[in-house]
Amino acid sequence: MKAAIYVQYGKPEVLQVKEAIKPTPISNEILVRIKATAVNSGDVRLRKADPFAIRFIFGLIKPKINILGSVYSGEVESVGQEVKMFKVGDTVFGHTDMNFGAYAEYICVPQDGSVAIKPANVSHGEAAVIPFGGVAALHFIKKAVIKPGQKVIVAGASGAVGSAAVQLAKSFGATVTGVCSTANIDLVKSIGADHVIDYTKDDFTKNGETYDVIFDTVNSTSFFRNVKSLTENGIMILSAAGMSEMLQGLWISKTSSKKVLTGVISHKAADIIFLKELIETGKFKPVIDKAYSLEQIAEAHVYVEKGHKKGNVIINI
Ligand SMILES: NC(=O)c1ccc[n+]([C@@H]2O[C@H](COP(=O)([O-])OP(=O)(O)OC[C@H]3O[C@@H](n4cnc5c(N)ncnc54)[C@H](OP(=O)(O)O)[C@@H]3O)[C@@H](O)[C@H]2O)c1
């Protein structure tokens, strides 16, 4: 099979499309013929080993995993002997968790992993992006227990996590403000934001407003300015938190009525099934910026690394 392989950390050119061994499913695995994957911020970090700490998990000198890509949508081509949940020909989408391997024509995944039948009303490309930004946003929004009528602000509302967070907070009944750049105002309004703040002109931490939930997907402003803009029992979600924000968050959660949610999310089939149902009822729409082929994977990484993508970048395979 063809796959984008990298054997050293570095610039986008380290990704080379080559022949690789097609995997064979063991007892509880399904073999998926991948139709689409995506380039996410996480793939870029792993490619560059940035932050350095990534090397302690994924290989100190060179990467232990040689095929990146954590999301996929495709068709089940064969199944292991014990597989009961899927059959050959099913169209599925999912997340590989920490195993990666989706920048390839085929992948084997456990039937009880983060995999489900693909929503019928979206393309493979649109389905592939859901288990990254959609699941990350859902994980934190469920933890924050957003209630109807609450005021929620999403910073980075034009990104993969942010565009999902705006739509999910709306579906839970919140009044949502999206924070984005001038070029993305129409996009953020189109996905349902009630109000939009252009961060190139205004700073939401200085407008005198307080919010029940601040979902900052891009560490857009200083930690303590964010905290000041929370209501008395407000919750701050930092999906891009580094070690210092995590420690500051623990301190605020322990010493005040405010709460800070950080950490690495886990991937469960239940979450993608929840999102699939929202998509099928028209309450959630994956936002797609650009599509590339597997051969253009390095080009796609260059684009994503700039940090300005609108929603998601697809790789059609
Ligand atoms: N905790 C977890 O397990 C987990 C899971 C998934 C993702 N994440 C993290 O979540 C973060 C967001 O990921 P993503 O994939 O959504 O990123 P992304 O798609 O690259 O989104 C960045 C978006 O934010 C906008 N932006 C940049 N600076 C901004 C600012 N100051 N204020 C408002 N918007 C701004 C960018 O557009 P403009 O530059 O045009 O404004 C772009 O549309 C990443 O750090 C990722 O690693 C964490």
Side-chain angles (χ1 to χ4, degrees):
M1 68 167 185
K2 270 197 282 179
I5 293 173
Y6 85 129
V7 292
Q8 59 183 42
Y9 297 118
K11 294 188 171 158
E13 303 80 71
V14 297
L15 296 162
Q16 301 270 324
V17 178
K18 290 186 179 161
E19 279 301 311
I21 296 166
K22 182 178 168 183
T24 307
I26 55 164
S27 54
N28 75 330
E29 287 182 341
I30 58 174
L31 174 69
V32 180
R33 163 83 174 90
I34 299 178
K35 300 280 175 84
T37 178
V39 177
N40 295 314
S41 38
D43 298 324
V44 171
R45 287 185 176 178
L46 238 72
R47 191 203 76 227
K48 295 163 65 181
D50 176 21
F52 189 87
I54 280 180
R55 291 174 184 258
F56 297 120
I57 302 167
F58 290 97
L60 199 57
I61 309 291
K62 54 186 185 162
K64 288 189 233 168
I65 290 171
N66 299 117
I67 305 177
L68 291 173
S70 61
V71 293
Y72 60 88
S73 179
E75 193 173 315
V76 177
E77 189 174 278
S78 65
V79 299
Q81 283 175 346
E82 286 167 26
V83 170
K84 299 265 187 306
M85 296 164 75
F86 299 97
K87 60 181 189 316
V88 172
D90 281 348
T91 52
V92 294
F93 73 127
H95 195 287
T96 64
D97 222 338
M98 299 291 252
N99 299 318
F100 293 85
Y103 288 177
E105 288 182 309
Y106 292 93
I107 193 167
C108 283
V109 294
Q111 61 166 344
D112 53 354
S114 175
V115 52
I117 297 291
K118 167 188 164 291
N121 57 337
V122 293
S123 67
H124 280 290
E126 289 170 307
V129 306
I130 297 160
F132 180 78
V135 168
L138 179 63
H139 167 91
F140 285 114
I141 280 177
K142 280 200 310 197
K143 272 190 150 181
V145 198
I146 289 175
K147 297 176 205 71
Q150 280 193 318
K151 273 172 71 184
V152 174
I153 187 161
V154 179
S158 52
V161 179
S163 60
V166 167
Q167 298 183 69
L168 288 170
K170 279 300 293 176
S171 77
F172 283 96
T175 299
V176 180
T177 301
V179 182
C180 62
S181 57
T182 317
N184 292 325
I185 291 175
D186 288 346
L187 165 70
V188 174
K189 279 185 186 159
S190 76
I191 54 173
D194 301 283
H195 311 284
V196 179
I197 294 175
D198 179 346
Y199 73 84
T200 67
K201 296 189 175 128
D202 297 305
D203 181 341
F204 76 89
T205 63
K206 290 181 182 158
N207 65 7
E209 296 269 341
T210 54
Y211 300 91
D212 299 301
V213 176
I214 297 176
F215 194 153
D216 191 345
T217 71
V218 286
N219 288 346
S220 68
T221 186
S222 93
F223 180 89
F224 288 102
R225 287 229 302 273
N226 261 340
V227 170
K228 276 193 184 149
S229 297
L230 285 172
T231 53
E232 203 182 324
N233 295 305
I235 297 176
M236 181 156 80
I237 300 169
L238 297 176
S239 68
M243 193 49 79
S244 66
E245 291 88 13
M246 286 187 190
L247 293 173
Q248 286 166 333
L250 271 178
W251 173 254
I252 293 293
S253 301
K254 285 253 177 270
T255 59
S256 79
S257 57
K258 300 175 182 181
K259 209 164 145 190
V260 181
L261 303 177
T262 62
V264 178
I265 70 157
S266 55
H267 288 272
K268 298 185 283 295
D271 285 341
I272 56 173
I273 292 168
F274 180 92
L275 290 163
K276 166 185 149 74
E277 283 162 9
L278 282 187
I279 288 166
E280 287 177 339
T281 52
K283 292 182 187 137
F284 185 96
K285 184 149 179 46
V287 174
I288 306 301
D289 184 343
K290 290 186 179 212
Y292 294 86
S293 66
L294 187 61
E295 286 70 22
Q296 296 171 308
I297 192 85
E299 210 181 304
H301 266 246
V302 169
Y303 182 65
V304 172
E305 191 170 344
K306 288 183 182 146
H308 304 300
K309 71 178 159 69
K310 302 172 200 296
N312 299 276
V313 167
I314 300 172
I315 303 294
N316 286 314
I317 299 181

